Amino acid sequence: ELKVEQNPLFLSMQEGKNYTIYCNYSTTSDRLYWYRQDPGKSLESLFVLLSNGAVKQEGRLMASLDTKARLSTLHITAAVHDLSATYFCAVDSRETSGSRLTFGEGTQLTVNP
Amino acid sequence: KAGVTQTPRYLIKTRGQQVTLSCSPISGHRSVSWYQQTPGQGLQFLFEYFSETQRNKGNFPGRFSGRQFSNSRSEMNVSTLELGDSALYLCASSLLGKGFREQYFGPGTRLTVT
């Protein structure tokens, strides 16, 4: 059974600081997704990482994928309050022919002024 | 292009009742997946439909069922509702394709069971 673990689960940081969220998964996969969820809202796609060594950046967020280590990171640079949200990573297992995402527990990020 | 739509957005039901939720995928998308989100269990995969056939199923009891119509619209049904079924139900659609299948999520249906 595919397992996806995120850490930390809760992250409180000050504006202007940097931090990294980690996502470990338990089985071979080369499709990893990062989503953002605001309270009471749906999931917003942030990044899709499709190969080993993939790196994508959007604004203050940068995501990377190491399929050999089964690890993805979401790095936050110079955080601002608007980044406060819950961030999920999700893995699409190769074991199924269709679409079946397994999500991490989510990291609740709070950026304080 | 319109996004994924879900109806209704909010629903309150009583234990023992049944409920039907609807999802309309992005035009041209033929795969529809359903997920349940609760504070305790997080986001969990329910099932996926493609071309009116269930292609994948998660670990949920038989009270949870779904179907897909020829226009790719999908419904999920929960019978004999329990308090624990209170959750945000998210639908996602994706294009058929090999390998990469990015999923686009709808706004969700918030179900409260009392």
Side-chain angles (χ1 to χ4, degrees):
Chain A
E1 181 188 344
L2 172 57
K3 292 189 188 301
V4 181
E5 295 182 343
Q6 286 181 237
N7 72 85
L9 299 184
F10 299 92
L11 179 53
S12 180
M13 53 191 300
Q14 285 188 315
E15 281 190 329
K17 299 293 187 182
N18 304 332
Y19 210 83
T20 300
I21 299 171
Y22 297 88
C23 174
N24 291 273
Y25 54 96
S26 63
T27 193
T28 302
S29 176
D30 55 5
R31 300 194 292 268
L32 190 134
Y33 309 81
W34 284 96
Y35 290 92
R36 168 181 171 146
Q37 186 177 41
D38 292 295
K41 304 291 186 181
S42 186
L43 298 173
E44 174 191 353
S45 178
L46 293 175
F47 300 108
V48 180
L49 302 169
L50 298 178
S51 61
N52 186 43
V55 177
K56 290 198 173 179
Q57 182 163 7
E58 180 73 34
R60 301 175 188 275
L61 300 178
M62 182 174 71
S64 66
L65 177 62
D66 182 343
T67 58
K68 293 177 182 177
R70 299 178 183 173
L71 171 68
S72 180
T73 60
L74 180 66
H75 187 73
I76 303 156
T77 301
V80 294
H81 180 69
D82 285 352
L83 290 179
S84 297
T86 299
Y87 293 84
F88 292 92
C89 64
V91 176
D92 196 354
S93 171
R94 284 185 183 181
E95 295 172 359
T96 60
S97 59
S99 298
R100 178 178 181 153
L101 294 181
T102 300
F103 285 85
E105 306 97 321
T107 296
Q108 187 175 317
L109 171 65
T110 303
V111 182
N112 302 303
Chain B
K1 199 178 229 185
V4 179
T5 59
Q6 292 186 245
T7 56
R9 294 291 311 280
Y10 302 91
L11 205 49
I12 300 175
K13 290 286 188 179
T14 304
R15 274 179 297 175
Q17 289 185 316
Q18 74 167 20
V19 67
T20 299
L21 312 181
S22 180
C23 171
S24 293
I26 293 171
S27 178
H29 285 197
R30 296 168 62 189
S31 168
V32 174
S33 300
W34 289 89
Y35 293 83
Q36 181 197 63
Q37 185 176 28
T38 60
Q41 299 299 316
L43 279 153
Q44 292 185 289
F45 171 78
L46 279 157
F47 27 65
E48 183 212 5
Y49 286 87
F50 174 75
S51 291
E52 303 177 64
T53 300
Q54 187 180 87
R55 190 158 65 170
N56 281 296
K57 188 176 190 308
N59 297 324
F60 278 82
R63 299 185 298 107
F64 292 81
S65 63
R67 59 177 174 170
Q68 187 180 34
F69 301 95
S70 58
N71 62 357
S72 294
R73 189 177 71 86
S74 177
E75 290 182 345
M76 69 162 281
N77 184 277
V78 187
S79 62
T80 320
L81 284 165
E82 301 177 359
L83 293 178
D85 297 333
S86 294
L88 178 66
Y89 290 88
L90 294 167
C91 161
S93 75
S94 63
L95 280 169
L96 170 64
K98 293 182 181 178
F100 175 43
R101 293 182 289 266
E102 183 169 12
Q103 297 198 39
Y104 297 85
F105 283 84
T109 294
R110 173 76 61 183
L111 171 65
T112 302
V113 182
T114 62

